[in-house]
Amino acid sequence: MLSAGLIGLPATGKTTLFNLLTRAGEDSVSGRFGRNEARIGTAEVPDERLERLSALFEPRRQVAATVAFADLAGAATPRNLVDVGAYREAHALLHVVRAFRAGDVPHAAGSVDAARDAQAVEEELILADLEVTERRIERIKRDRKKGAAANPDREARVLGRCREALESGAPIRSLELDRDDARLLRGFQFLSAKPLLLVVNLDEDDVGDADGAVERAGLAGMLSQARVRAVPVCAKIELEIAQLDAEDARLFLADLGLPQPGLHRIVRAAYELLGYISFFTVGKDECRAWSVANGSLAPEAAGAVHTDMQRGFIRAEVVGHADLLRRGSLGACRNHGEVRLEGKDYVVRDGDVINFRFAT
Ligand SMILES: Nc1nc2c(ncn2[C@@H]2O[C@H](COP(=O)(O)OP(=O)(O)O)[C@@H](O)[C@H]2O)c(=O)[nH]1
Ligand SMILES: [Mg+2]
């Protein structure tokens, strides 16, 4: 499952957002709070295409794609979370920065400055990774003297690049790496290598002009970097929306001039930042969205559904969701030649509806 860790200074709204995203307290929380212990919960990926496919098939079950979130008690700054597995293993980091001015500011700086905080946490990510990099480079040197290192040259070279970047204040995510180097680095689980989503927590007064508020927060510099995005939200408003029924929530959002809850935007932005796409399986029993990395081949997509389907993969019957929704049935799509039979080299596209043929 895709996973993201919530990071940020105290009282920025991480736990509030975590509870909202994962509907903590209802059904989705596991793990427990404690020192250096993260709470893990899952959020459904909102997807209007899945809603519409379900309206067509009226299945017994509708299952959305999910993203797991981790939340650390207290200050979830790199210094505290560097040894927490849920964060090291996360595919992305969600940095909640405070732009709302209401309420106490408990951390050392004592004032609200989103750009300053974003930069401070970024520097901690970089320092944490620099420590790991230097330790490993020393180790390779020692092993080389003993003649024991496995593939020391490639590793030393790519770690050297990392060190150079980190020493100059740049995160590892800013490096252009080829596939093999990227794979080699994956084992280190560098924090600054993970895509970063800045969740800018706004005052209620600012949601009408959220993009303007993000700009005024001074985050343009960070946002010009590779694999960094921002999404504005007001946790306080999200809390209020969560207490309303669907119709009242819709009216409330319309009142504020918002097309959808901020929580939806956060989950979708995380999903897109990670370069994931969705394909669908449909039927009377179940309509379901599945996540795969962009660029995945049909057998890998089959493997997301079931390992047997990947092992015994024969063909994929593929139709675009828009065609299916327009025609109203798979049979009609077939009659119009819109259902394609694809082989093992087919690159799955976002929004494909797929039926896998496999041998058991
Ligand atoms: N005014 C305002 N207060 C917020 C907002 N988000 C969180 N808070 C408050 O800030 C405090 C800390 O929130 P919490 O989610 O526990 O922050 P964390 O330390 O980052 O986990 C709580 O008192 C929240 O009610 C917001 O968007 N607006
Ligand atoms: Mg918290």
Side-chain angles (χ1 to χ4, degrees):
M1 196 196 300
L2 288 178
S3 61
L6 288 159
I7 65 172
L9 298 172
T12 50
K14 297 179 298 298
T15 298
T16 306
L17 287 169
F18 174 86
N19 289 339
L20 286 164
L21 284 164
T22 63
R23 304 207 193 103
E26 285 174 29
D27 54 358
S28 51
V29 181
S30 61
R32 62 201 161 82
F33 265 120
R35 200 179 137 64
N36 284 355
E37 182 139 11
R39 265 204 310 175
I40 316 287
T42 59
E44 295 189 348
V45 179
D47 195 327
E48 192 201 321
R49 301 167 301 179
L50 178 64
E51 303 289 336
R52 293 175 60 204
L53 288 167
S54 290
L56 185 62
F57 285 86
E58 299 178 330
R60 271 184 283 279
R61 264 185 315 170
Q62 175 187 325
V63 185
T66 51
V67 178
F69 290 98
D71 181 38
L72 201 70
T77 52
R79 204 174 303 150
N80 294 336
L81 57 80
V82 70
D83 294 322
V84 180
Y87 280 85
R88 294 230 70 115
E89 286 152 25
H91 298 97
L93 297 176
L94 261 61
H95 182 184
V96 183
V97 287
R98 175 166 173 168
F100 65 88
R101 293 166 297 273
D104 293 340
V105 185
H107 60 79
S111 62
V112 175
D113 183 339
R116 174 200 63 203
D117 295 349
Q119 191 54 41
V121 172
E122 177 85 336
E123 278 163 21
E124 269 198 52
L125 292 174
I126 289 169
L127 277 180
D129 285 351
L130 187 57
E131 241 175 67
V132 175
T133 307
E134 284 180 335
R135 266 207 311 270
R136 182 61 195 162
I137 288 174
E138 282 312 306
R139 180 71 190 263
I140 292 174
K141 274 192 200 146
R142 279 204 310 273
D143 285 355
R144 190 179 279 149
K145 279 191 200 131
K146 289 189 280 180
N151 182 10
D153 294 335
R154 179 167 205 128
E155 193 177 336
R157 186 176 43 71
V158 62
L159 285 173
R161 279 186 68 195
C162 290
R163 178 165 65 181
E164 198 178 319
L166 294 164
E167 278 175 344
S168 75
I172 293 175
R173 74 177 98 79
S174 69
L175 291 175
E176 297 231 4
L177 299 167
D178 68 31
R179 242 182 129 91
D180 290 339
D181 285 350
R183 184 169 312 143
L184 200 155
L185 285 187
R186 215 170 293 152
F188 292 100
Q189 302 181 319
F190 286 122
L191 294 171
S192 80
K194 300 180 194 298
L196 184 71
L197 184 64
L198 292 168
V199 177
V200 187
N201 195 0
L202 302 173
D203 263 320
E204 286 153 285
D205 304 343
D206 288 331
V207 294
D209 175 26
D211 292 336
V214 170
E215 227 176 280
R216 284 193 297 282
L219 297 168
M222 278 202 71
L223 289 173
S224 65
Q225 295 180 35
R227 303 167 79 209
V228 179
R229 300 253 189 97
V231 56
V233 69
C234 174
K236 193 145 182 277
I237 289 179
E238 298 301 322
L239 262 178
E240 287 166 30
I241 294 172
Q243 274 140 34
L244 302 174
D245 62 37
E247 180 56 16
D248 285 347
R250 200 185 57 74
L251 290 173
F252 185 59
L253 282 169
D255 235 25
L256 293 164
L258 300 174
Q260 55 175 335
L263 297 176
H264 287 198
R265 283 202 311 270
I266 294 177
V267 181
R268 278 235 66 97
Y271 199 70
E272 279 158 21
L273 181 68
L274 288 165
Y276 271 64
I277 58 171
S278 297
F279 70 89
F280 305 100
T281 52
V282 295
K284 279 283 158 212
D285 197 46
E286 178 182 274
C287 285
R288 184 161 183 163
W290 304 88
S291 312
V292 284
N294 198 0
S296 295
L297 301 177
E300 296 172 78
V305 179
H306 202 291
T307 46
D308 286 348
M309 284 195 186
Q310 179 162 16
R311 209 175 303 125
F313 179 87
I314 299 172
R315 289 256 158 128
E317 276 188 302
V318 184
V319 59
H321 76 280
D323 288 336
L324 179 52
L325 289 167
R326 187 177 60 240
R327 301 283 179 208
S329 74
L330 282 167
C333 289
R334 227 171 255 124
N335 292 340
H336 286 85
E338 289 166 348
V339 178
R340 295 166 281 132
L341 270 183
E342 303 283 5
K344 62 180 175 17
D345 295 328
Y346 176 68
V347 178
V348 174
R349 287 191 225 143
D350 191 39
D352 278 349
V353 177
I354 308 183
N355 177 36
F356 296 104
R357 294 196 190 163
F358 64 104
T360 47

